[in-house]
C-alpha cells in the first residue's frame, strides 16, 4: 500500500469511528461552554471594574442600616447584612413550614371529598381545585394582600372576634403567654419526649414481631409527651402571666401579631398548593386496587386498621414523591413574598443588592440556598425511594 | 325452563339519582344538606352582589352610591388599558390581531388532525409575523417601541414564545441527559438540575440585574428580551424533564430494532424514537405551558407590564381605587379561561392516548 493511501485510510477510520466522534463532540461542547463562560466572566469583571463595584462577599459584615418588620432572631438596623439575610432565610422557612402543614391538611380533606360518593361534596371539591389551581399564585396573594389592607378596619376600629383577638388592616393580633424561662424548658423536654416516643415505637414494633403481642405505643407516646411537658411546666413555677394586645395611639402593643404580608402569603401559597396536593391524594388512593380493601375487610380488619395498615402504606408509595416536589414548589413560590413585602430571603436580598450594588453576590447567595434545599429534598427522596421500593422476585 | 331475566329495579329518574348520590345514608344526608345550604347561600350572594345590585356604567359616583353591589363600571372604563397596556390606542388592533392569530394557532396545534409537518414552518412564519405586527416600522405600520407593550398580548407572548423556543432546546437537553457521552451528560444534568432547583424569580432577577453585566460595554439588550431569554432557559429545563419521560416510555426494543436495521443515532431519533416520544409528551407539555402562562405574571416584579401589572396600575387611579376586587376578578377570569380550557384539553388527550395503548 502506498503511503498517502494508508494515511487517508487512517483518517477516514477516525471519522467513521463512533468513539472518536464521541470524544470530539465532547471536546467541542465543553470547549464551547468554557469559551462562553470565559467571555461572560471577563466582560463582567471589566464592567464591574468600570463601574467601580467591589467584588466579593465582604459586604456581608457591613452594617445594614435598614429595619425588618418581622424577625425570629433579634435584629436592629445596626446588625450586618449577613444577619439580615439570616433573618430572611428563617422567615422563608417559617412561612414554608406553616404553608406545607396547612396545604397538606386542606389538600387531604379536599382530595378525599373529591372522591366522596356524595355528588355535591365531590363537585364542590372539584370547583375548589379548578378555581385555585388555574389562577396565578401571584395574583392570588396580591389579591389577599389588597383585601386585608382595604377591607379590614383600622386598628382603632379593629374587630374583636374573640376576647383579646383583634382583626385589623395591620394584621391579626392575639394574646400569648408572656416571656418566661419555663417555655424554653418545656420545648427542650418536648424534643426529648419525642425521641422517647420514637424509641418506644421501635421497641413496640420489635416486641410485636417477636411475640405477636401489640402494645398501644401511639397512646402511650401521646401520654408520655403531654405528662412530661406538663410536669416541666409545674416544676418551672407554672407561669400564668399573659401578654395581651392593647390599643395604644394608632397601633397595638403587646401580644403576638400575624402581619398582612405574612397572612396573604400564607393564604395564597396554602390554597394554591392544596389543589395540587388534593389531586395527589386522590390519585394515590385510587392507585390502591379495590381488592386490597376487600381482602383486608374479609380478614376481619376494622376500617381504621384497613386504612392504616393496608391502604395508606400502599398509597403513600405513590403519593410521597409528588408530595415532596409540591413542598419544594411551595418553598420556591414563597419567594413571591417580594411582591407583597414580606421580608423573606429573596426580598431581603433584593433590598441588600439595591443598597450595596452587589447584585451578583446577593443573587448567588439565595440561589445557593434554594439549590441546597432542593438537594436535601432530593437526597431524602432517593433514600425514601430506596427504602420503599417494591422487592420483586 | 325459560330463563327470563328479572328486570332490575329502575335506576333512572331524578329521585333515584338523588337517593343514590346525595342521601344514601344518614351521614351523606347531613353533608348534602349542609353543602346545598352553603352553595345556595353563596350563589345568592354572588348574584346579588355581581348582577342585581351591580353598576355596569362607567360612572364612579354611581358605583360609590351602590355600596352593596359590584362596580363593573371600572371594567368598562379600564378594560382597554388592562388588556393592552400602554400600546397606542389607535394601533391596538395589531396586538388584538396577533392574539387572535396565536390563540387560533395554539388551538390548531392541539388538534390531532393538524399534526402535520407544515405546522413547523407555519409557527416560524407566525412568530416573524408577530414581530412585524407588534413592532411595526414596515409595511406602513407605525413603529411601536416594546417598552409600550403590555397586558394580555405581553403575557401570551412571553408564554408562547417561551415554550416554542424552549421546545428544541428541551429536546436537545433531554437527549444530552440520556447520551452515552459522559461530559455531555454532566453538562446537561448540571443545567437542568440547577435551573429546576431555583425559583423562577431568581432567573428573572438574573435576567434583569446580572445579564447587563455579562455583555461587553456598549452592548445592551432591552429588559423584555432579557426576561424572555430567562423564561426560555427556565422552561427548557422543565421541558427537558418532560421529554426525558417520553424518551424513557419508548420501549427498548424500538432502539434495538433501529440499530439492527443499521440506522445511525440521529436517524433513529428522528424516524423511530421522536415520533413516538412526542406523542406521549403532548399532555405534560401543555401542562408545562399552562404553568408558564401563569408564571409569566412574575415579570411584574422586575417591572414589565404584563396583564397582572396593568391590573395593578388600573386600580391606582384615585377615582376607581375602591373597586380593586372587580379588577382582580376580571383578570383572574381571563387567566382561568385560558388555563382551564387548556388543562381540560390535556386531560382529555391523555385519556384518549391511554385508550389507544390498551389494545
Amino acid at each position: 500500500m502506498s503511503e498517502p493511501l494508508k494515511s487517508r485510510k487512517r483518517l477516514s477510520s477516525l471519522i467513521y469511528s463512533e468513539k472518536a466522534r464521541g470524544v470530539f463532540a465532547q471536546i467541542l461542547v465543553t470547549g464551547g461552554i468554557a469559551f462562553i463562560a470565559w467571555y461572560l466572566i471577563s466582560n463582567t469583571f471589566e464592567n464591574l471594574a468600570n463601574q467601580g463595584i467591589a467584588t466579593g462577599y465582604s459586604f456581608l459584615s457591613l452594617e445594614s442600616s435598614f429595619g425588618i418588620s418581622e424577625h425570629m432572631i433579634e435584629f436592629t438596623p445596626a446588625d450586618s447584612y449577613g444577619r439580615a439575610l439570616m433573618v430572611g432565610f428563617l422567615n422563608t422557612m417559617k412561612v414554608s413550614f406553616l404553608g406545607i402543614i396547612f396545604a397538606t391538611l386542606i389538600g387531604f380533606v379536599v382530595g378525599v371529598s373529591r372522591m366522596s360518593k356524595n355528588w355535591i361534596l365531590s363537585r364542590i371539591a372539584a370547583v375548589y381545585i379548578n378555581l385555585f389551581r388555574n389562577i396565578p399564585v401571584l395574583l392570588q396573594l396580591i389579591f389577599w394582600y389588597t383585601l386585608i389592607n382595604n377591607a379590614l378596619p383600622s386598628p382603632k376600629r379593629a374587630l374583636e372576634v374573640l376576647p383579646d383577638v383583634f382583626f385589623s388592616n395591620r394584621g391579626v393580633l392575639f394574646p400569648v403567654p408572656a416571656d418566661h424561662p419555663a417555655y424554653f424548658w418545656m420545648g427542650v423536654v418536648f424534643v426529648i419526649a419525642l425521641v422517647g416516643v420514637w424509641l418506644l415505637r421501635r421497641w413496640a414494633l420489635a416486641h410485636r414481631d417477636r411475640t405477636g403481642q401489640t402494645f398501644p405505643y401511639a397512646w402511650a407516646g401521646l401520654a408520655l409527651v403531654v405528662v412530661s411537658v406538663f410536669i416541666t411546666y409545674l416544676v418551672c413555677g407554672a407561669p400564668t402571666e399573659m401578654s395581651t394586645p392593647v390599643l395604644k395611639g394608632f397601633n397595638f402593643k403587646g401580644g403576638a401579631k400575624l402581619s398582612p404580608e405574612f397572612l396573604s402569603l400564607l393564604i395564597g401559597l396554602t390554597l394554591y398548593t392544596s389543589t395540587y396536593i388534593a389531586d395527589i391524594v386522590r390519585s394515590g388512593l385510587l392507585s390502591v386496587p379495590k381488592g386490597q380493601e376487600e381482602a383486608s375487610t374479609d380478614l376481619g380488619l376494622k376500617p381504621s386498621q384497613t386504612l392504616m395498615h393496608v391502604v395508606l402504606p400502599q398509597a403513600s408509595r405513590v403519593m410521597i414523591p409528588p408530595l415532596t416536589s409540591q413542598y419544594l414548589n411551595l418553598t420556591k413560590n414563597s419567594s413571591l413574598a417580594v411582591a407583597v413585602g414580606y421580608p423573606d430571603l429573596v426580598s431581603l436580598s433584593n433590598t441588600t443588592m439595591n443598597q450595596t450594588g452587589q447584585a451578583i453576590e446577593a443573587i448567588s447567595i439565595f440561589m445557593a440556598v434554594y439549590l441546597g434545599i432542593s438537594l436535601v429534598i432530593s437526597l431524602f427522596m432517593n433514600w425514601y425511594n430506596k427504602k420503599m421500593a417494591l422487592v420483586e422476585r | 325452563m325459560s330463563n327470563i331475566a328479572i328486570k332490575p329495579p329502575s335506576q333512572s329518574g331524578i329521585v333515584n339519582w338523588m337517593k343514590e348520590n346525595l342521601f344514601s345514608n344518614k351521614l351523606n344526608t347531613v353533608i348534602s344538606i349542609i353543602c346545598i345550604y352553603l352553595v345556595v347561600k353563596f350563589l345568592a350572594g354572588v348574584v346579588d352582589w355581581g348582577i342585581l345590585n351591580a353598576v355596569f356604567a362607567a360612572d364612579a359616583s354611581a358605583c360609590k352610591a351602590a355600596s352593596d353591589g359590584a362596580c363593573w363600571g371600572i371594567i368598562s372604563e379600564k378594560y382597554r388599558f388592562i388588556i393592552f397596556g400602554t400600546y397606542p390606542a389607535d394601533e391596538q388592533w395589531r396586538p388584538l390581531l396577533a392574539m387572535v392569530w396565536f390563540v387560533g394557532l395554539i388551538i390548531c396545534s392541539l388538534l390531532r388532525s393538524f399534526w402535520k409537518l407544515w405546522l413547523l414552518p407555519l409557527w416560524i412564519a407566525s412568530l416573524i409575523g408577530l414581530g412585524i405586527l407588534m413592532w411595526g416600522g414596515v409595511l406602513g405600520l407605525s413603529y411601536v417601541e416594546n417598552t409600550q407593550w403590555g397586558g394580555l398580548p405581553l403575557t401570551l407572548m412571553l408564554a408562547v414564545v417561551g415554550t416554542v423556543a424552549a421546545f428544541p432546546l428541551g429536546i436537545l437537553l433531554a437527549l444530552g441527559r440520556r447520551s452515552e457521552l459522559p461530559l455531555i451528560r454532566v453538562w446537561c444534568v448540571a443545567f437542568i438540575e440547577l435551573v429546576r432547583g431555583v425559583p423562577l424569580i431568581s432567573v428573572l432577577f438574573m435576567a434583569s440585574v446580572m445579564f447587563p453585566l455579562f455583555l461587553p460595554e456598549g452592548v445592551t439588550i432591552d429588559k423584555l428580551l432579557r426576561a424572555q431569554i430567562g423564561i426560555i432557559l427556565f422552561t427548557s429545563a422543565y421541558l427537558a424533564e418532560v421529554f426525558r419521560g417520553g424518551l424513557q416510555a419508548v420501549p427498548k426494543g424500538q432502539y434495538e430494532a433501529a440499530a439492527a436495521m443499521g440506522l445511525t443515532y440521529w436517524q433513529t431519533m428522528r424516524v423511530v424514537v421522536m415520533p413516538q416520544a412526542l406523542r406521549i409528551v403532548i399532555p405534560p407539555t401543555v401542562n408545562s405551558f399552562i404553568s408558564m402562562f401563569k408564571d409569566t405574571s412574575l415579570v411584574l416584579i422586575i417591572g414589565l407590564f404584563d396583564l397582572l401589572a396593568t391590573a395593578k396600575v388600573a386600580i391606582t387611579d384615585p377615582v376607581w381605587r375602591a373597586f380593586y376586587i372587580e379588577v382582580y376578578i376580571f383578570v383572574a377570569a381571563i387567566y382561568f379561561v385560558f388555563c382551564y380550557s387548556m388543562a381540560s384539553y390535556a386531560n382529555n388527550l391523555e385519556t384518549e392516548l391511554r385508550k389507544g395503548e390498551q389494545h
Side-chain angles (χ1 to χ4, degrees):
Chain A
M1 221 181 262
S2 65
E3 263 312 298
L5 195 64
K6 213 175 185 178
S7 78
R8 197 188 301 161
K9 195 167 180 192
R10 212 180 295 142
L11 194 66
S12 71
S13 76
L14 214 55
I15 290 176
Y16 288 115
S17 141
E18 206 171 308
K19 209 172 171 187
R21 278 192 300 176
V23 171
F24 182 67
Q26 295 185 58
I27 293 174
L28 203 70
V29 168
T30 310
I33 292 174
F35 174 75
I36 294 173
W38 169 81
Y39 177 72
L40 297 181
I41 291 172
S42 66
N43 277 337
T44 307
F45 275 108
E46 208 169 288
N47 287 330
L48 289 177
N50 287 345
Q51 293 173 19
I53 300 174
T55 50
Y57 290 89
S58 53
F59 72 97
L60 285 176
S61 55
L62 297 180
E63 191 186 302
S64 64
S65 67
F66 60 75
I68 302 176
S69 53
E70 291 172 61
H71 39 82
M72 291 169 78
I73 49 175
E74 276 308 309
F75 186 83
T76 61
D79 283 317
S80 66
Y81 285 116
R83 195 172 172 88
L85 294 185
M86 191 64 208
V87 170
F89 173 71
L90 290 175
N91 280 339
T92 294
M93 287 290 110
K94 177 169 97 174
V95 76
S96 306
F97 179 72
L98 291 174
I100 285 170
I101 290 177
F102 288 127
T104 309
L105 289 178
I106 298 177
F108 264 80
V109 171
V110 175
V112 171
S113 309
R114 181 75 187 83
M115 282 178 68
S116 161
K117 289 194 184 80
N118 187 315
W119 181 82
I120 189 157
L121 189 64
S122 154
R123 289 321 300 165
I124 290 177
V127 168
Y128 172 89
I129 292 173
N130 283 319
L131 188 68
F132 288 109
R133 158 180 289 193
N134 287 311
I135 297 172
V137 61
L138 183 62
L139 172 62
Q140 294 188 35
L141 53 98
I142 289 179
F143 175 77
W144 295 120
Y145 184 62
T146 324
L147 193 70
I148 292 175
N149 265 321
N150 288 287
L152 287 178
S154 65
K156 273 205 141 148
R157 299 173 187 187
L159 306 169
E160 193 171 356
V161 276
L162 291 167
D164 288 332
V165 178
F166 297 96
F167 279 62
S168 75
N169 58 12
R170 301 288 172 85
V172 177
L173 284 114
F174 55 93
V176 283
D179 220 13
H180 192 280
Y183 300 113
F184 171 74
W185 292 112
M186 281 161 75
V188 172
V189 169
F190 179 73
V191 173
I192 294 172
L194 281 188
V195 175
V197 172
W198 181 70
L199 289 173
L200 185 70
R201 176 173 178 271
R202 258 181 63 156
W203 171 81
L205 293 183
H207 181 71
R208 189 190 67 192
D209 289 348
R210 219 171 36 241
T211 62
Q213 288 169 336
T214 54
F215 176 78
Y217 63 85
W219 292 111
L222 187 68
L224 174 71
V225 172
V226 170
V227 170
S228 63
V229 171
F230 187 66
I231 287 176
T232 319
Y233 174 73
L234 292 180
V235 167
C236 289
T240 51
E241 199 195 333
M242 297 291 276
S243 162
T244 43
V246 181
L247 188 66
K248 282 206 177 126
F250 291 109
N251 217 336
F252 284 100
K253 288 264 157 62
K257 177 179 154 184
L258 301 171
S259 69
E261 294 83 17
F262 175 78
L263 279 176
S264 52
L265 187 63
L266 184 65
I267 296 172
L269 291 176
T270 301
L271 296 185
Y272 185 71
T273 312
S274 70
T275 64
Y276 289 90
I277 291 179
D279 263 5
I280 292 169
V281 169
R282 178 162 166 247
S283 63
L285 293 178
L286 282 175
S287 75
V288 180
K290 227 177 156 107
Q292 294 283 330
E293 204 186 322
E294 292 164 359
S296 108
T297 312
D298 286 350
L299 281 171
L301 269 69
K302 285 183 270 181
S304 65
Q305 287 174 324
T306 304
L307 186 71
M308 288 305 291
H309 299 296
V310 180
V311 177
L312 273 187
Q314 298 186 62
S316 68
R317 187 174 285 128
V318 178
M319 275 157 40
I320 300 267
L323 268 184
T324 345
S325 84
Q326 282 310 320
Y327 294 162
L328 193 57
N329 278 348
L330 188 145
T331 311
K332 287 196 280 179
N333 278 338
S334 73
S335 59
L336 297 180
V338 69
V340 290
Y342 174 71
D344 82 320
L345 178 63
V346 173
S347 99
L348 289 178
S349 302
N350 194 24
T351 315
T352 302
M353 69 183 164
N354 286 340
Q355 285 197 6
T356 61
Q358 310 279 4
I360 296 180
E361 290 83 354
I363 292 177
S364 71
I365 289 174
F366 74 71
M367 278 180 117
V369 169
Y370 277 105
L371 276 178
I373 297 173
S374 302
L375 195 70
V376 170
I377 299 252
S378 57
L379 285 179
F380 164 77
M381 277 321 305
N382 285 343
W383 169 82
Y384 177 83
N385 281 336
K386 216 170 270 170
K387 185 172 172 248
M388 297 303 269
L390 287 175
V391 185
E392 286 179 336
R393 273 172 279 174
Chain B
M1 285 292 282
S2 65
N3 44 2
I4 303 163
I6 298 162
K7 196 180 165 217
S10 163
Q11 297 289 315
S12 57
I14 183 121
V15 177
N16 268 319
W17 180 88
M18 279 170 63
K19 217 180 239 171
E20 221 165 84
N21 293 301
L22 292 178
F23 308 109
S24 57
N25 58 36
K26 260 186 207 151
L27 179 68
N28 260 338
T29 308
V30 173
I31 293 174
S32 297
I33 289 173
I34 293 174
C35 286
I36 291 171
Y37 172 76
L38 290 177
V39 168
V40 168
K41 187 130 199 204
F42 176 76
L43 287 181
V46 167
V47 169
D48 267 354
W49 177 80
I51 300 172
L52 297 181
N53 298 331
V55 176
F56 292 90
D59 178 357
S61 46
C63 278
K64 277 182 189 134
S67 56
D68 53 352
C71 168
W72 300 116
I74 183 171
I75 306 297
S76 3
E77 172 83 11
K78 302 270 183 196
Y79 78 98
R80 279 182 80 146
F81 176 75
I82 294 172
I83 290 180
F84 295 109
T86 51
Y87 207 88
D90 293 339
E91 305 288 333
Q92 282 175 1
W93 60 271
R94 282 155 54 179
L96 183 65
L97 183 65
M99 273 196 310
V100 171
W101 177 257
F102 268 87
V103 170
L105 194 58
I106 292 170
I107 293 172
C108 284
S109 310
L110 291 178
L111 296 177
R112 299 179 80 179
S113 49
F114 281 86
W115 293 354
K116 301 272 159 56
L117 207 60
W118 49 259
L119 210 53
L120 190 68
L122 184 64
W123 266 101
I124 296 172
S126 300
L127 287 177
I128 296 170
L130 171 78
I132 295 175
L133 210 52
M134 292 296 287
W135 265 298
V138 287
L139 304 174
L141 297 170
S142 61
Y143 177 69
V144 179
E145 235 182 293
N146 63 12
T147 46
Q148 288 179 298
W149 299 5
L152 186 57
L154 188 83
T155 295
L156 262 174
M157 204 187 75
L158 286 171
V160 171
V161 175
T163 307
V164 172
F167 210 83
L169 208 57
I171 292 180
L172 285 181
L173 283 169
L175 290 178
R177 190 170 188 163
R178 282 169 60 84
S179 161
E180 277 162 11
L181 308 172
L183 267 180
I184 292 188
R185 199 169 56 227
V186 165
W187 285 118
C188 291
V189 170
F191 177 81
I192 294 171
E193 293 307 327
L194 188 79
V195 172
R196 279 162 43 90
V198 298
L200 174 60
I201 187 69
S202 60
V203 176
L204 290 176
F205 269 136
M206 266 184 90
S208 76
V209 189
M210 276 166 74
F211 203 81
L213 292 172
F214 290 159
L215 297 172
E217 267 222 292
V219 180
T220 51
I221 299 181
D222 74 40
K223 203 192 235 170
L224 178 62
L225 198 57
R226 294 197 310 253
Q228 182 73 78
I229 292 172
I231 286 176
I232 291 172
L233 293 178
F234 188 78
T235 315
S236 69
Y238 281 83
L239 282 183
E241 286 301 275
V242 167
F243 294 145
R244 184 162 74 120
L247 290 176
Q248 278 171 348
V250 175
K252 221 176 160 205
Q254 298 280 333
Y255 290 89
E256 290 164 357
M261 293 189 72
L263 299 184
T264 65
Y265 174 81
W266 290 107
Q267 281 176 327
T268 310
M269 286 303 155
R270 206 183 65 232
V271 194
V272 180
V273 177
M274 275 299 162
Q276 301 184 56
L278 285 182
R279 223 173 62 112
I280 303 169
V281 301
I282 285 174
T285 306
V286 175
N287 284 329
S288 164
F289 175 76
I290 296 171
S291 44
M292 208 56 245
F293 184 74
K294 287 185 288 182
D295 284 349
T296 51
S297 55
L298 268 62
V299 297
L300 101 89
I301 295 173
I302 59 165
L304 291 175
F305 277 93
D306 76 317
L307 183 58
L308 184 52
T310 52
K312 269 190 92 175
V313 172
I315 48 176
T316 53
D317 184 341
V319 181
W320 297 99
R321 181 170 283 166
F323 310 109
Y324 58 93
I325 292 182
E326 289 83 345
V327 171
Y328 284 132
I329 288 178
F330 176 64
V331 173
I334 295 177
Y335 276 112
F336 180 82
V337 167
F338 274 94
C339 296
Y340 181 69
S341 49
M342 283 188 290
S344 325
Y345 167 80
N347 271 342
N348 287 343
L349 190 68
E350 211 172 356
T351 3
E352 220 174 283
L353 290 177
R354 209 174 281 153
K355 248 186 241 156
E357 275 164 25
Q358 273 169 0
H359 45 227

